[in-house]
C-alpha cells in the first residue's frame, strides 16, 4: 500500500513544474517489425532460455554439464587421433556414442523443455502473447523452432568437433573430403534426433504448468519407454533365438518402435541397411529391426507429425484471459 | 448510435462508421446452443476514456476478446480503429494494448526484462523496445524497483507492470480489464489516477472494463453498460450520474413518518432497504431533510450520497430507478 501511495505521489506532468526527468509521453513513429520478425525474436528468446541464458546461474548447470559430456568423446577422439592416428577415428559420425547421446539428450530434453513452455502456462502469460500481432500458431511454432535448434546444438556441435579433430590429423585433401562425406549423413541423422525429441519434449512439457511436474512428464515417459523397448528387444532375442541365427524375432524387431530413442536407432539401421549379419555389437543401445526397416521410417514420420500436430492443437484451445 | 441493426446484404461488405474507436453492430456470440455471451450488441464508442460496466459474466471480457480478434463472433460485426476485428486482427493488435484481468506476470523476471521482451513481441526493434520499456515503467511509477524480480512486488506494483506492458507498444487504444482488481482502496485511487492521466495527457483512447460503476465514473467520459450480453445504456458519464444522484436517508425509527413528512414538503422519497431514497435536486434538499428530521425529532443515523451501483442502472421496477433511467435516455 505504501508503495502505491508513494508511486502515486511521484511527479506527473501536471505537478512537475520543471522536473528534469519528466519527459512526458513519447510516441513511437519509427518502423515496426512484422509478424515474421516477431516470431524470430520469440524463437531467439526461447532458444536462450533452453540453456538457461537470461536466468540465474543455477539454470545453466545442467545444460553446460550435459553439453560438456556430449563433447567429451569428440575430445578423446581428437587426442587419440593426434597421438596414434593409425586405425582411424574411434567414433563414427552417424550414431556418435549412442548410449551417451541417449542419456544426455534424455536429461537435456526433460530439463530444458519445461523452461520454454511451462512457465508461460504456470504464470498465465499466454494472453500477453496472443494479444500481440502474432497468430495462434506462431507461439508453438517459435517454441518448436527454438527447441529444435537447441537440441541440434547439443547433438551437432560435438559432431563438428569430432570432424575438426579428425580432419586436422588426416593427410591430403582427399582424406578430408572423405571425412566431410561421412559428416553429412551424421548431421542429417542428428537433425532427425533433434526434430523428434524437440517436438515430443515440448508436447509433454506443455501438459502442465508446474516445472517439477513438467520435468517428470517429459523424463518419465522417455526413460521408461526406452527401458521397456530395450527389455522387450532383449526378451525377443532370448526367447526366439539370437539374431545371429537368422532374422531377429518380430518382438525383438518391433519393440524398438516404443521409444523415440530406439525408434531413431532403428531408422539409422534401416538407412544403413547393414547390421543384420552378426547383430549389433552394443545390443542394448542399438535397435534390432529385422525386416521392418520401412516400418521404422514410417513410424518416425508419423510420430513427428503427430507430436507437432498435437502441440499446435494444444495451443489452439488455450483460453485467453 | 445510428447503426442499423440489420446485417448488410451479402456481397456488400460491412463498413465501420468513421470516427468511432470501437464499434459493434448486432454483435452476437454463442457458445454451443444455449450459452449466449453477447446478444445483438450494437454500440459505437468515441475517442476518450470509456467505461465498460457490467456485473461479472455480463460479457465484458468476451467483448474485449472479440475486439482483439481472438474470438470470432457468431454473427454481427465489430471494428476497432476502423479495422474489422475478424479480418484485421494482426493490425488491431499492433495498435492496441491489452491489460488482462487476471495475474499474468512471471515472478522470476524483472519488470524491465519482461516489458522489454513484450515490447519486442509488439513489433518494436530491440533498442526501441528497451527505451520504451524504461519509459512506460517510469510512466506507471516504477523506477529503481523495475530491476527487481516481479515475484517480490506488491499487488499494486504488479498491476502497474501489467499496465506498462500494455503501454509499451505505443498503442492508439488501450483495453483494460478490471485494472483495480485486487487492490486496496489507496491502491485503487492511485491506479485510477494513473489511468485518467494516461487518457487525458497521453491522449490514448481507452476502454476500461469494471464491475464497479462508482469507481469507473470518476475517470470516464463515456459509459457503456452491458448485462447478459445486451447493451443496457451507452451515454456520456455526466448524463448517467446526473440522473442517478440520490440521497440515502436512514433513521433508527419512524421511517414511515419521515416518508410522509418529506412527501408533504415536496420531495418524492422512496423506501429502499432500511432507509429512504430521495432525489437530490440541490443543496436545499439537504436542508429540507434536516428540517423534517429535526421537526419530527427522529434519530437520524445516516445521510449520504449514494454510490452508484450497477444494479441501479439495471433496475427497472422500483419507481425511482425507473424514472431516472427513463429521464436520462431522453437527454
Amino acid at each position: 500500500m505504501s508503495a502505491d501511495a508513494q508511486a502515486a505521489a511521484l511527479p506527473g506532468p501536471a505537478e512537475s513544474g520543471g522536473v528534469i526527468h519528466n519527459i512526458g509521453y513519447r510516441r513511437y513513429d519509427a518502423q515496426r517489425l512484422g509478424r515474421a520478425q516477431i516470431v524470430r525474436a520469440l524463437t531467439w528468446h526461447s532458444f536462450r532460455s533452453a540453456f538457461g541464458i537470461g536466468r540465474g546461474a543455477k539454470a545453466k548447470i545442467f545444460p553446460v554439464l550435459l553439453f560438456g559430456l556430449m563433447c567429451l568423446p569428440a575430445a578423446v577422439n581428437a587426442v587419440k587421433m593426434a597421438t596414434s592416428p593409425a586405425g582411424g577415428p574411434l567414433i563414427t559420425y552417424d550414431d556418435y556414442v549412442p548410449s551417451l547421446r541417449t542419456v544426455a539428450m534424455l536429461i537435456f530434453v526433460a530439463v530444458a523443455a519445461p523452461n520454454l513452455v511451462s512457465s508461460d502456462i504456470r504464470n498465465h502469460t499466454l494472453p500477453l502473447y496472443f494479444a500481440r500481432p502474432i497468430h495462434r500458431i506462431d507461439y508453438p511454432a517459435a517454441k518448436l523452432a527454438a527447441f529444435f535448434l537447441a537440441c541440434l546444438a547439443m547433438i551437432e556441435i560435438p559432431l563438428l568437433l569430432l570432424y575438426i579433430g579428425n580432419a586436422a590429423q588426416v593427410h591430403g585433401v582427399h582424406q578430408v573430403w572423405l571425412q566431410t562425406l561421412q559428416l553429412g549423413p551424421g548431421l542429417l541423422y542428428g537433425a532427425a534426433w533433434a526434430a523428434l525429441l524437440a517436438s515430443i519434449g515440448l508436447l509433454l512439457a506443455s501438459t502442465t504448468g508446474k516445472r517439477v511436474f513438467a520435468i517428470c512428464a517429459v523424463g518419465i515417459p522417455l526413460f521408461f519407454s526406452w527401458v521397456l523397448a530395450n527389455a522387450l528387444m532383449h526378451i525377443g532375442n532370448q526367447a526366439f533365438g539370437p539374431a545371429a541365427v537368422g532374422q531377429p524375432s518380430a518382438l525383438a524387431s518391433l519393440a524398438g518402435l516404443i521409444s523415440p530413442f530406439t525408434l531413431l536407432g532403428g531408422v539409422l539401421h534401416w538407412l544403413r541397411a547393414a547390421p543384420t549379419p552378426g547383430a549389433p555389437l552394443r545390443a542394448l543401445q542399438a535397435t534390432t529391426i529385422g525386416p521392418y526397416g520401412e516400418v521404422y521410417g514410417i513410424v518416425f514420420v508419423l510420430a513427428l507429425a503427430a507430436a507437432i500436430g498435437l502441440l499446435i492443437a494444444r495451443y489452439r484451445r488455450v483460453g485467453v484471459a | 448510435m445510428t447503426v442499423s441493426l440489420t446485417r448488410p446484404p451479402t456481397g456488400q461488405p460491412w463498413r465501420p462508421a468513421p470516427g468511432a474507436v470501437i464499434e459493434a453492430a448486432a454483435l452476437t456470440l454463442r457458445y454451443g446452443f444455449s450459452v449466449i455471451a453477447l446478444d445483438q450488441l450494437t454500440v459505437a464508442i468515441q475517442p476518450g476514456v470509456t467505461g465498460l460496466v457490467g456485473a461479472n459474466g455480463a460479457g465484458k471480457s468476451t467483448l474485449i476478446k472479440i475486439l482483439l480478434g481472438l474470438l470470432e463472433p457468431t454473427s454481427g460485426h465489430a471494428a476497432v480503429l476502423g479495422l474489422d476485428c475478424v479480418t484485421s486482427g494482426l493490425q488491431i493488435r499492433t495498435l492496441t494494448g491489452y491489460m488482462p484481468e487476471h495475474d499474468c506476470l512471471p515472478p522470476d523476471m524483472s519488470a524491465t526484462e519482461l516489458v522489454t521482451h513484450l515490447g519486442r513481441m509488439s513489433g518494436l526493434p530491440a533498442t526501441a523496445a528497451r527505451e520504451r520499456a524504461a519509459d512506460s515503467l517510469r510512466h506507471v511509477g516504477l523506477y529503481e524497483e523495475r530491476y527487481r524480480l516481479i515475484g517480490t512486488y506488491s499487488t499494486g506494483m504488479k498491476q502497474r507492470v501489467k499496465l506498462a506492458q500494455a503501454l509499451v507498444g505505443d498503442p492508439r487504444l488501450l483495453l483494460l480489464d478490471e485494472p483495480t482488481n485486487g487492490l486496496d482502496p489507496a491502491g485503487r485511487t492511485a491506479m485510477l489516477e494513473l489511468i485518467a492521466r494516461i487518457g487525458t495527457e497521453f491522449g490514448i483512447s481507452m476502454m476500461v472494463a469494471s464491475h464497479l460503476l462508482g469507481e469507473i465514473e470518476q475517470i470516464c467520459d463515456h459509459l457503456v453498460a452491458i448485462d447478459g450480453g445486451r447493451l443496457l445504456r451507452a451515454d456520456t458519464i455526466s448524463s448517467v450520474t446526473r440522473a442517478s444522484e440520490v440521497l440515502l436517508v436512514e433513521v433508527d425509527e419512524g421511517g414511515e413518518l419521515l416518508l410522509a413528512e418529506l412527501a408533504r414538503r415536496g420531495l418524492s422519497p422512496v423506501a429502499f432497504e432500511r432507509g429512504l431514497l430521495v432525489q437530490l435536486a440541490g443543496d436545499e434538499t439537504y436542508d429540507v431533510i434536516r428540517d423534517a428530521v429535526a421537526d419530527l425529532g427522529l434519530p437520524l443515523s445516516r445521510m449520504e450520497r449514494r454510490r452508484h451501483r450497477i444494479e441501479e442502472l439495471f433496475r427497472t421496477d422500483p419507481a425511482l430507478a425507473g424514472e431516472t433511467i427513463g429521464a436520462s435516455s431522453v437527454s
Side-chain angles (χ1 to χ4, degrees):
Chain A
M1 178 194 152
S2 63
D4 292 333
Q6 223 180 358
L10 288 165
E15 57 197 274
S16 60
V19 177
I20 295 165
H21 57 258
N22 176 21
I23 45 157
Y25 186 72
R26 289 190 291 194
R27 297 233 83 118
Y28 179 76
D29 295 318
Q31 182 78 40
R32 277 176 200 270
L33 306 179
R35 176 183 161 208
Q37 287 161 298
I38 295 173
V39 173
R40 201 191 304 157
L42 180 58
T43 305
W44 176 234
H45 177 86
S46 310
F47 177 80
R48 287 158 47 96
S49 72
F51 294 102
I53 301 168
R55 282 161 198 261
K58 249 192 332 190
K60 298 180 185 71
I61 295 173
F62 268 111
V64 168
L65 220 62
L66 293 170
F67 182 72
L69 209 60
M70 285 287 276
C71 291
L72 202 62
V76 170
N77 180 75
V79 172
K80 189 257 173 192
M81 288 296 285
T83 50
S84 51
L90 289 170
I91 308 162
T92 57
Y93 289 105
D94 44 16
D95 61 355
Y96 198 61
V97 184
S99 52
L100 172 74
R101 189 186 262 181
T102 298
V103 172
M105 287 310 291
L106 198 160
I107 300 173
F108 177 73
V109 170
V111 170
N115 283 350
L116 275 82
V117 288
S118 46
S119 109
D120 284 339
I121 295 171
R122 179 177 61 246
N123 304 315
H124 310 288
T125 320
L126 288 169
L128 298 183
Y129 284 101
F130 293 143
R132 293 187 144 72
I134 55 172
H135 286 306
R136 274 289 169 111
I137 195 174
D138 293 341
Y139 179 87
K143 293 289 172 181
L144 196 57
F147 200 40
F148 170 72
L149 291 174
C151 291
L152 204 63
M154 286 291 291
I155 291 169
E156 302 210 329
I157 291 177
L159 285 184
L160 293 174
L161 293 177
L162 182 67
Y163 171 73
I164 293 168
N166 287 336
Q169 297 304 326
V170 294
H171 298 289
V173 179
H174 180 65
Q175 287 297 319
V176 173
W177 176 240
L178 281 182
Q179 290 291 330
T180 315
L181 280 182
Q182 291 173 43
L183 174 68
L187 291 180
L188 266 179
Y189 180 60
W193 267 70
L196 189 64
L197 292 182
S199 51
I200 291 177
L202 280 188
L203 176 66
L204 293 173
S206 70
T207 53
T208 170
K210 290 229 173 17
R211 195 183 143 73
V212 178
F213 291 171
I215 289 176
C216 295
V218 180
I220 290 175
L222 283 185
F223 178 72
F224 282 104
S225 65
W226 180 55
V227 170
L228 184 67
N230 280 310
L232 288 178
M233 262 190 271
H234 196 67
I235 291 169
N237 280 328
Q238 293 293 313
F240 304 101
V245 173
Q247 289 287 0
S249 68
L251 176 64
S253 305
L254 294 172
L257 296 172
I258 295 172
S259 153
F261 299 107
T262 49
L263 175 62
L264 286 160
V267 170
L268 180 65
H269 283 199
W270 171 53
L271 293 177
R272 271 215 215 128
T276 345
L281 216 64
R282 299 171 296 249
L284 271 185
Q285 281 86 41
T287 312
T288 43
I289 58 170
Y292 303 105
E294 291 82 359
V295 177
Y296 276 81
I298 292 165
V299 170
F300 169 78
V301 172
L302 289 180
L304 185 61
I308 294 173
L310 286 172
L311 185 69
I312 289 167
R314 193 243 170 285
Y315 281 95
R316 193 159 284 286
R317 60 178 180 78
V318 165
V320 176
Chain B
M1 286 197 300
T2 51
V3 182
S4 81
L5 284 168
T6 52
R7 299 184 69 173
T10 44
Q12 186 186 332
W14 177 72
R15 292 248 171 271
V21 287
I22 296 172
E23 196 184 343
L27 193 63
T28 302
L29 183 84
R30 283 194 194 87
Y31 294 108
F33 288 106
S34 53
V35 184
I36 299 176
L38 286 178
D39 190 5
Q40 295 282 321
L41 184 72
T42 299
V43 68
I45 294 174
Q46 302 305 315
V49 181
T50 302
L52 175 68
V53 283
N56 289 325
K60 302 187 298 282
S61 296
T62 305
L63 177 60
I64 289 178
K65 282 182 230 170
I66 291 178
L67 293 178
L68 284 168
L70 301 174
L71 268 183
E72 202 164 316
T74 314
S75 65
H77 294 281
V80 169
L81 302 165
L83 300 162
D84 192 306
C85 293
V86 176
T87 56
S88 309
L90 278 190
Q91 247 181 304
I92 289 172
R93 295 199 288 275
T94 307
L95 299 170
T96 305
Y98 166 57
M99 176 178 176
E101 176 181 1
H102 301 291
D103 205 6
C104 58
L105 304 173
D108 53 355
M109 271 177 110
S110 73
T112 304
E113 272 179 275
L114 177 73
V115 178
T116 304
H117 173 59
L118 291 170
R120 297 224 60 194
M121 295 299 103
S122 288
L124 301 177
T127 320
R130 261 194 301 279
E131 285 173 9
R132 284 204 57 88
D135 273 11
S136 17
L137 284 165
R138 190 167 41 220
H139 287 312
V140 301
L142 290 171
Y143 291 76
E144 293 308 315
E145 312 95 307
R146 69 178 189 266
Y147 300 111
R148 255 168 48 197
L149 296 185
I150 294 170
T152 68
Y153 283 11
S154 69
T155 312
M157 290 161 80
K158 283 182 187 163
Q159 289 295 94
R160 285 160 190 278
V161 177
K162 279 163 69 176
L163 185 55
Q165 66 79 27
L167 208 51
V168 69
D170 186 24
R172 297 291 174 270
L173 172 72
L174 279 174
L175 301 174
L176 312 180
D177 201 350
E178 302 280 359
T180 58
N181 222 1
L183 297 181
D184 57 27
R188 282 169 185 270
T189 312
M191 177 54 80
L192 291 172
E193 279 169 10
L194 185 58
I195 292 170
R197 215 168 64 101
I198 291 171
T200 53
E201 287 168 29
F202 298 2
I204 299 173
S205 290
M206 57 176 106
M207 188 169 82
V208 187
S210 177
H211 65 282
L212 300 168
L213 173 61
E215 203 178 84
I216 218 170
E217 67 173 25
Q218 302 167 25
I219 56 165
C220 294
D221 315 319
H222 301 272
L223 194 81
V224 172
I226 59 175
D227 185 38
R230 288 174 163 276
L231 180 71
L232 215 66
R233 281 181 70 175
D235 221 328
T236 59
I237 199 80
S238 55
S239 68
V240 175
T241 46
R242 190 179 57 237
S244 58
E245 270 185 314
V246 287
L247 274 177
L248 177 68
V249 184
E250 271 182 41
V251 284
D252 286 344
E253 54 186 60
E256 299 81 10
L257 283 176
L258 183 61
L259 185 96
E261 179 65 18
L262 289 177
R264 202 180 58 76
R265 291 181 189 235
L267 299 177
S268 47
V270 176
F272 179 74
E273 289 173 4
R274 299 189 304 116
L276 303 172
L277 285 179
V278 182
Q279 184 95 41
L280 186 60
D283 282 348
E284 61 278 7
T285 309
Y286 290 100
D287 298 340
V288 173
I289 295 170
R290 181 200 59 204
D291 294 344
V293 170
D295 290 352
L296 291 170
L298 295 173
L300 179 67
S301 62
R302 190 171 167 196
M303 179 158 81
E304 64 175 26
R305 271 185 60 182
R306 277 295 305 275
R307 289 217 76 159
H308 318 288
R309 295 203 194 116
I310 296 162
E311 303 88 73
E312 282 174 45
L313 287 176
F314 298 169
R315 269 189 318 152
T316 46
D317 41 336
L320 186 72
E323 260 171 48
T324 53
I325 286 180
S328 75
S329 61
V330 173
S331 66

